[in-house]
Amino acid sequence: MQTEIDTHKHQENAKQVQQSPRSGKRLLWFLVIPVVLVTSAFIGTHARHKESQELVATTKSLEVQPVNVIHPQRGQSSSDLTLPGMIEAFSQSPIYARVDGYVRNWRVDIGARVTKGQLLAEIDAPEVDQQLNQARAMLKQAQTSLALAKVTAPRYQELIKSDSVSQQEVDQNNQNLAAQEANVQAATAAVGRLEQMRGFEKIVAPFDGVITLR
């Protein structure tokens, strides 16, 4: 009886021994699989994080555009280029003398800069000067005749009151006074015209510019 019991125990122990390695393998798989999964997840996350960092670095490097800066400096001319050209003024004004005569004095030459109203030349016009002197003399003569007529006409006006003179003489003196006044006005106008003509003996610049022709 004892022998049967021992044999039975020995069989149970053998079964336990056979079942123990299987249980150990299963436990080992349960431990290895999570570790593998966690390791794979960590490696994948690390790889994605590294790729993301590389992508950011690449993007930043592409945003910066390299530019070459060159500072200009004056260099030496290797050859001269000569081109034909012409300079033309915006405004041109030929100046002519208004009186006939001879050039007395020329104050500027070609290329000189002048300002408006500057004296350019003077003309000697003896005929105009002579006519002006004659007109002035005639003006003085007319003024003298007018002064005498102004004295004579009032006298005849007084004499007619006493019938010392005729009405015809009074009318003649009045007409003479009016004629002398007209002569003075005509002589004054002639003197003014000749004085203006004499002013044309001086040629002045009409505006600021440069003398280009003489």
Side-chain angles (χ1 to χ4, degrees):
M1 190 66 178
Q2 184 70 31
T3 303
E4 289 180 358
I5 294 171
D6 291 339
T7 302
H8 181 70
K9 288 182 178 182
H10 179 71
Q11 290 177 354
E12 288 180 357
N13 289 332
K15 290 180 181 180
Q16 290 178 358
V17 171
Q18 288 178 356
Q19 292 177 356
S20 179
R22 292 179 181 177
S23 298
K25 289 181 179 180
R26 291 178 181 176
L27 181 61
L28 180 61
W29 281 109
F30 281 115
L31 294 176
V32 169
I33 290 173
V35 172
V36 171
L37 294 176
V38 171
T39 303
S40 301
F42 176 76
I43 293 173
T45 303
H46 180 71
R48 287 194 297 270
H49 181 68
K50 186 176 181 180
E51 290 178 356
S52 177
Q53 289 182 345
E54 291 179 353
L55 180 60
V56 171
T58 304
T59 304
K60 289 183 178 180
S61 63
L62 293 176
E63 289 179 354
V64 179
Q65 296 294 333
V67 178
N68 295 326
V69 180
I70 299 175
H71 298 281
Q73 296 180 355
R74 184 183 296 274
Q76 296 181 354
S77 178
S78 58
S79 61
D80 295 334
L81 179 61
T82 303
L83 299 175
M86 182 179 64
I87 298 176
E88 186 175 356
F90 287 106
S91 300
Q92 295 181 357
S93 176
I95 303 173
Y96 300 100
R98 297 287 300 273
V99 295
D100 296 333
Y102 306 95
V103 177
R104 181 192 308 169
N105 186 12
W106 187 266
R107 296 180 178 270
V108 294
D109 205 343
I110 296 175
R113 293 185 176 272
V114 296
T115 57
K116 182 178 180 180
Q118 180 179 347
L119 181 62
L120 304 179
E122 293 179 343
I123 297 177
D124 189 4
E127 294 181 359
V128 175
D129 296 339
Q130 185 178 0
Q131 292 176 2
L132 178 60
N133 294 332
Q134 184 178 358
R136 286 174 177 174
M138 293 180 66
L139 176 61
K140 289 182 180 180
Q141 184 179 358
Q143 289 173 347
T144 302
S145 299
L146 177 60
L148 180 60
K150 286 182 179 181
V151 174
T152 303
R155 286 179 181 176
Y156 275 79
Q157 290 289 344
E158 292 295 329
L159 290 174
I160 193 65
K161 295 178 181 180
S162 60
D163 295 330
S164 300
V165 295
S166 63
Q167 185 62 40
Q168 180 69 26
E169 291 175 335
V170 174
D171 294 339
Q172 287 179 351
N173 282 280
N174 289 336
Q175 291 178 357
N176 183 48
L177 176 60
Q180 295 303 325
E181 289 177 349
N183 290 335
V184 170
Q185 292 178 358
T188 302
V191 171
R193 181 180 65 84
L194 292 171
E195 286 179 348
Q196 188 175 8
M197 291 293 293
R198 191 176 183 180
F200 293 145
E201 294 179 357
K202 294 182 179 181
I203 301 176
V204 297
F207 48 81
D208 298 346
V210 180
I211 303 298
T212 59
L213 184 63
R214 175 177 145 179

